[in-house]
Amino acid sequence: MSRMVGTVSRGVRAPIIRQGDNLAEIVTNCVLDAAADDGFAVRDRDIVAMTEAIVARAQGNYASVADIAEDVRTKLGGETIGVIFPILSRNRFAICLRGIAMGARKVVLMLSYPSDEVGNHLVSLDALDEKGVDPYKDVLSLEKYRELFGYEKHPFTGVDYVEYYESLIREAGAEVEIIFANDPRAVLDYTKNVINCDIHTRARTKRLLKAAGAQRVFGLDEILTAPVNGSGYNEKYGLLGTNKSTEDQVKLFPRDCQDLVEDIQKRILDATGKHVEVMVYGDGAFKDPVGKIWELADPVVSPAYTAGLEGTPNELKLKYLADNDYAELSGDALKEAIKSRIQEKDGSLVGNMVSEGTTPRRLTDLIGSLCDLTSGSGDKGTPIVYIQGYFDNYTTE
């Protein structure tokens, strides 16, 4: 008989990770202890995932606002700097903004509207319509924004991010001017030296700015790509994916994770004889239907994973088969026909109607989203996620 249980995602508790900890050993031991404690067996193609936060903590990948300021000053000259398209986040960006402002005489802060890149709204689309504002072409000064929309607070945090970011810049010792626009080139009327802080559109933004005559353009992914005064860094993503650690320090996105996931894979193979897949995950890639927030503030869902997690799902749509190819069957006959069809599938199903409606996303993005939802971001204490049955299908015994 086929197994009655499909995919199971378990949060696995772990000790508080500190710099220098042997994370490969800790993760392996936590998984093996969880299996013994909860009575499950490690199986081939199970998945072990760990949040990027514990990887960065073990690496000691931290930097101070002073380190950020020095790198910004060195790269952009320390005078008037345009800071464009930041996300609205106390955890993700506010402390980075402090460091940037400390490295400049004046900051021209350009916010996208009606929302930031990940869906945090300054104003609603209905409000834009009511006031006759065209977000595709209109550039608003702070005064005009206040005249039209007043003092809007984020519905979840209760923060007026415009006022909050303005005060952060002033407190860091820089002058500030705030504008609202969605064309990155609008900032060039104020300064030719720009930090673009967008995450997933950063390459296009840099291209447009450089073509329009910007002198110095650095993405947030190009700040702290190397150590400053012995700080942490990320050569690939810079400050993208950072989180607030203390009032004066950020934790950067982890670096050099590939050896770690392969080490854990080998340790579990040596301990159990089973070949599991291993990945590091950050934010999931999903959107909240009420708050309209797209979760993915990290540059990628998974910065490192073992080879078996490469690719996309290659699945048949059972509903399609039942309603079309085998509409005349029911009961055991339908079950056996569908099982046979699954066993016969060969090669990629891309473009095949029988796979219509299956999720066309990378495995690491799907699994990372499952992990993010399982572990949460608060006090669950389960920074490791153990997933079984993800690669099972209707025929698996």
Side-chain angles (χ1 to χ4, degrees):
M1 179 180 176
S2 299
R3 271 208 317 267
M4 295 302 294
V5 176
T7 301
V8 176
S9 180
R10 291 179 173 89
V12 175
R13 290 181 176 169
I16 303 299
I17 303 301
R18 298 293 189 187
Q19 180 176 349
D21 283 350
N22 186 333
L23 196 57
E25 180 179 324
I26 291 171
V27 171
T28 301
N29 289 341
C30 286
V31 166
L32 297 178
D33 289 347
D37 179 67
D38 205 42
F40 65 88
V42 174
R43 301 196 297 253
D44 287 325
R45 298 220 77 189
D46 286 355
I47 302 167
V48 178
M50 72 213 86
T51 177
E52 57 83 19
I54 63 171
V55 181
R57 288 175 64 85
Q59 292 176 342
N61 204 17
Y62 296 89
S64 70
V65 291
D67 299 326
I68 296 171
E70 182 170 331
D71 204 30
V72 167
R73 195 178 299 112
T74 299
K75 288 174 176 172
L76 287 110
E79 292 298 317
T80 299
I81 296 173
V83 177
I84 71 171
F85 300 160
I87 63 172
L88 307 175
S89 172
R90 294 169 296 175
N91 173 47
R92 287 288 192 169
F93 186 72
I95 193 166
C96 294
L97 181 59
R98 280 187 58 210
I100 292 168
M102 287 169 59
R105 181 183 61 80
K106 178 179 178 179
V107 171
V108 178
L109 180 66
M110 191 172 93
L111 301 174
S112 57
Y113 73 98
S115 68
D116 69 9
E117 180 184 359
V118 297
N120 292 296
H121 275 69
L122 289 171
V123 295
S124 69
L125 284 169
D126 289 337
L128 295 186
D129 294 341
E130 179 186 339
K131 301 296 184 180
V133 175
D134 184 347
Y136 295 102
K137 66 178 184 181
D138 291 343
V139 178
L140 307 178
S141 66
L142 178 58
E143 293 71 25
K144 187 63 176 178
Y145 171 84
R146 291 300 190 197
E147 176 191 329
L148 292 170
F149 306 114
Y151 288 76
E152 292 280 344
K153 292 187 176 181
H154 192 283
F156 290 160
T157 65
V159 173
D160 179 337
Y161 279 96
V162 178
E163 185 175 61
Y164 178 48
Y165 280 2
E166 181 182 24
S167 65
L168 278 178
I169 294 168
R170 292 192 192 283
E171 289 167 6
E175 299 174 37
V176 58
E177 184 170 0
I178 299 178
I179 60 174
F180 302 81
N182 291 307
D183 185 335
R185 293 165 291 197
V187 77
L188 298 180
D189 291 337
Y190 302 81
T191 178
K192 305 297 184 185
N193 300 316
V194 183
I195 299 176
N196 65 292
C197 304
D198 45 339
I199 306 162
H200 308 291
T201 55
R202 62 188 184 272
R204 177 177 182 268
T205 298
K206 291 177 198 174
R207 173 172 56 80
L208 290 175
L209 287 168
K210 291 177 180 178
Q215 292 178 357
R216 286 180 278 197
V217 180
F218 289 87
L220 208 60
D221 60 327
E222 296 172 298
I223 305 299
L224 282 187
T225 53
V228 174
N229 299 320
S231 73
Y233 66 98
N234 190 302
E235 67 277 8
K236 187 173 183 180
Y237 298 120
L239 285 179
L240 288 183
T242 58
N243 284 273
K244 179 179 179 179
S245 174
T246 69
E247 292 301 321
D248 297 298
Q249 190 177 58
V250 296
K251 176 192 67 61
L252 286 84
F253 210 51
R255 60 180 191 270
D256 303 328
C257 307
Q258 194 60 40
D259 287 348
L260 172 65
V261 296
E262 292 175 2
D263 186 5
I264 293 170
Q265 184 182 58
K266 183 179 185 304
R267 286 170 182 261
I268 292 179
L269 177 64
D270 291 345
T272 67
K274 302 299 181 182
H275 184 91
V276 302
E277 304 297 343
V278 185
M279 67 182 286
V280 177
Y281 68 93
D283 281 341
F286 47 83
K287 185 173 181 177
D288 176 68
V290 176
K292 311 301 182 186
I293 298 170
W294 184 36
E295 175 72 7
L296 188 53
D298 286 326
V300 291
V301 172
S302 177
Y305 49 89
T306 49
L309 297 178
E310 187 63 60
T312 59
N314 195 48
E315 300 173 347
L316 299 172
K317 194 73 171 179
L318 297 190
K319 290 186 294 184
Y320 183 91
L321 290 173
D323 291 344
N324 291 273
D325 295 34
Y326 306 123
E328 76 286 358
L329 300 179
S330 61
D332 288 342
L334 175 59
K335 181 178 180 180
E336 292 307 314
I338 289 178
K339 280 189 171 185
S340 178
R341 188 68 172 272
I342 292 172
Q343 291 166 344
E344 291 169 359
K345 70 180 179 182
D346 184 32
S348 174
L349 296 172
V350 173
N352 191 319
M353 187 63 74
V354 78
S355 68
E356 184 181 30
T358 57
T359 308
R361 293 167 59 190
R362 293 185 302 179
L363 288 168
T364 51
D365 293 341
L366 290 164
I367 297 165
S369 297
L370 173 60
C371 291
D372 192 22
L373 289 167
T374 300
S375 63
S377 58
D379 59 5
K380 294 184 186 300
T382 55
I384 304 164
V385 176
Y386 194 81
I387 301 171
Q388 294 190 296
Y390 193 84
F391 296 104
D392 288 359
N393 60 41
Y394 194 54
T395 69
T396 303
E397 301 295 333

